[in-house]
Amino acid sequence: MDTSASSSTETGTDAPAAGAPTRRGWRRWAMDTRPLRIPAYRRLWSSTIVTAVGSQLTAVAVPKQIYDITHSSAWVGYASLAGLVPMVAFALWGGAVADTVDRRKLLLVTNTGIAVTSLLFWAQAVTGLDSVAVLMVLLALQQAFFGLNSPARTASIARLVPAEQLPAANALGSTVMQTGLVAGPLLAGALIPVIGLPELYLVDALALCVTVWAVYRLPALAPLAQGVARRAGVREIAAGFRYISRHKVLLLSFLADIIAMVFGMPRALFPQLAAETYGSWGAGFALGVLFAGIPVGAVLGGLFSGVFSRARRHGWMVIGAVVAWGVAIAGFGLSGNLWVAVAFLAAAGVADMVSMVFRGAILLSAATDEMRGRMQGVFTVVVAGGPRLADVLHGTAGAAFGPRAAVAGGGALVVVLMLVLAGAVPALRRYRI
């Protein structure tokens, strides 16, 4: 940990530090903002605020432009795949790179690359190029930069805040990202008719310049072990997977996320449920509400993360959160009323926020600094790949058994699998800081 960072923090125990004000009344429930007292973390977090919304502008603009050109949802799906493959590949490699170089410099290069890509998106749109091939190449390039950027960004947090504040720091970051998932698309929908599609790309590019400046002001984040020759090739990526296999708590944290996302993420069935089960509200309205349910719950969980962010039994918090997620998803599947269903989805979002906070804290605290980048690379792949596998699984199960049965069954399966895993392997139950 950087001494400049640690000197500006509190003592880091569950009890208040000497001279620190006690959190009373509602403040005990509100988000723990202690990490924001650390200037370096505050800069990194503030850059996340900008990109959380800005990136969603491009995330909306690209499929909109592809559909306007092709009038085909299939091409929109192909574009998603074109972005997924390089993101997965470069996240794994980027994790290894993040363990070999100054992470601040890597963040500067990759954030600059993402900003330049957004400018290229703007250039092709403003010139009326109307080429799906160009859009897919730019999307692949953007996601490759994102894959390189994400492991370094997350791994840097453990160098900027003390270990006992990692859950609070993760809650702050996750809340901003979830807020971006809600506010970004709404803002994009409002801006497209006013300023047009090309300018949406330009706004994202300008926002990313703020991010580059914030990262530039971070302290150096060079590898802690100096004088050791390092590489970032296939052998080092494989060493990261071996490291996971030897550290059960890390392996279990990944498995917990895979169980929750693969068996319990029913978004592929939202369109059918909106049309068939909740169609009386209007299929379009119901679909939008269903998609907003989990992010809104996650944001609420983040805003009131003071309830749980100081917990020290990180393993039990993950287990409880994943079980709660499964119960909420099962309840959603059994709900015939739209607003009851949304309430269950929001509860699932709260559970997901708790899970994200403590899984992230485990990955940052249980792994050594020279492995944190690779752990975050694998984490990025799991987070991106799990829901996509869930789309296939739930789509198939929904066609075979009906959407509500598939959702309820998936949620119940999450509960069973998580409890079996927690009972069979005690490493996660025992993990605490």
Side-chain angles (χ1 to χ4, degrees):
M1 184 187 305
D2 291 347
T3 56
S4 59
S6 61
S7 63
S8 61
T9 63
E10 297 179 2
T11 57
T13 60
D14 284 345
T22 303
R23 291 163 62 94
R24 300 180 184 276
W26 68 271
R27 289 172 58 85
R28 292 180 302 168
W29 308 94
M31 179 180 289
D32 184 354
T33 59
R34 288 178 299 162
L36 294 180
R37 301 174 191 173
I38 305 170
Y41 175 79
R42 188 166 62 244
R43 294 185 187 110
L44 185 66
W45 181 79
S46 63
S47 72
T48 305
I49 296 175
V50 177
T51 56
V53 176
S55 63
Q56 289 302 308
L57 301 183
T58 297
V60 170
V62 171
K64 173 70 166 63
Q65 187 178 2
I66 290 175
Y67 186 80
D68 287 347
I69 295 170
T70 64
H71 301 289
S72 169
S73 295
W75 276 106
V76 176
Y78 299 150
S80 178
L81 183 63
L84 175 64
V85 173
M87 190 275 289
V88 168
F90 280 86
L92 291 176
W93 182 53
V97 174
D99 289 334
T100 66
V101 301
D102 186 324
R103 289 170 185 155
R104 171 182 168 274
K105 293 180 180 178
L106 180 57
L107 289 173
L108 278 173
V109 171
T110 53
N111 278 309
T112 301
I114 296 171
V116 170
T117 306
S118 293
L119 281 175
L120 293 176
F121 272 122
W122 169 76
Q124 62 81 33
V126 78
T127 57
L129 193 59
D130 287 345
S131 170
V132 174
V134 170
L135 281 166
M136 293 179 75
V137 168
L138 290 177
L139 183 62
L141 181 63
Q142 180 200 57
Q143 291 303 297
F145 278 121
F146 174 79
L148 287 167
N149 177 276
S150 183
R153 172 178 287 272
T154 310
S156 298
I157 295 173
R159 297 278 296 277
L160 302 178
V161 302
E164 65 274 5
Q165 292 185 23
L166 287 176
N170 285 334
L172 285 162
S174 297
T175 302
V176 165
M177 296 304 297
Q178 292 295 325
T179 303
L181 290 176
V182 177
L186 292 176
L187 183 61
L191 288 178
I192 288 175
V194 178
I195 65 175
L197 199 62
E199 285 70 23
L200 214 59
Y201 293 123
L202 186 59
V203 170
D204 185 22
L206 294 176
L208 283 162
C209 293
V210 177
T211 299
V212 172
W213 172 246
V215 170
Y216 175 77
R217 298 191 64 200
L218 290 177
L221 296 169
L224 292 178
Q226 299 296 324
V228 179
R230 300 190 182 203
R231 298 173 62 252
V234 175
R235 183 178 300 176
E236 285 67 36
I237 295 173
F241 283 102
R242 289 196 299 271
Y243 186 84
I244 293 172
S245 68
R246 291 197 300 267
H247 293 75
K248 289 183 179 180
V249 70
L250 295 173
L251 179 61
L252 292 171
S253 71
F254 286 120
L255 289 177
D257 188 41
I258 291 170
I259 288 171
M261 289 297 103
V262 173
F263 298 104
M265 173 54 83
R267 66 183 184 184
L269 296 173
F270 285 175
Q272 186 177 357
L273 288 166
E276 296 179 359
T277 305
Y278 313 117
S280 61
W281 292 88
F285 174 77
L287 182 62
V289 170
L290 291 178
F291 269 107
I294 292 175
V296 167
V299 171
L300 290 174
L303 292 176
F304 293 97
S305 57
V307 175
F308 56 82
S309 64
R310 294 171 184 259
R312 300 179 67 95
R313 296 183 178 275
H314 291 186
W316 272 115
M317 294 301 292
V318 171
I319 294 167
V322 173
V323 170
W325 164 273
V327 170
I329 293 299
F332 163 59
L334 296 173
S335 302
N337 179 278
L338 176 62
W339 299 111
V340 174
V342 171
F344 274 116
L345 287 176
V350 174
D352 189 39
M353 172 60 71
V354 177
S355 175
M356 283 190 291
V357 165
F358 288 100
R359 283 186 292 106
I362 288 172
L363 289 179
L364 290 173
S365 60
T368 56
D369 184 70
E370 62 270 17
M371 281 291 177
R372 283 184 184 134
R374 277 167 279 189
M375 296 305 99
Q376 295 305 320
V378 176
F379 178 75
T380 301
V381 172
V382 169
V383 169
R388 287 170 172 83
L389 291 176
D391 290 344
V392 176
L393 180 63
H394 281 81
T396 304
F401 306 109
R404 292 179 64 186
V407 174
L413 192 57
V414 168
V415 174
V416 172
L417 290 177
M418 189 67 246
L419 291 177
V420 169
L421 183 66
V425 188
L428 189 60
R429 301 197 313 270
R430 294 174 180 171
Y431 188 79
R432 59 177 295 165
I433 62 166

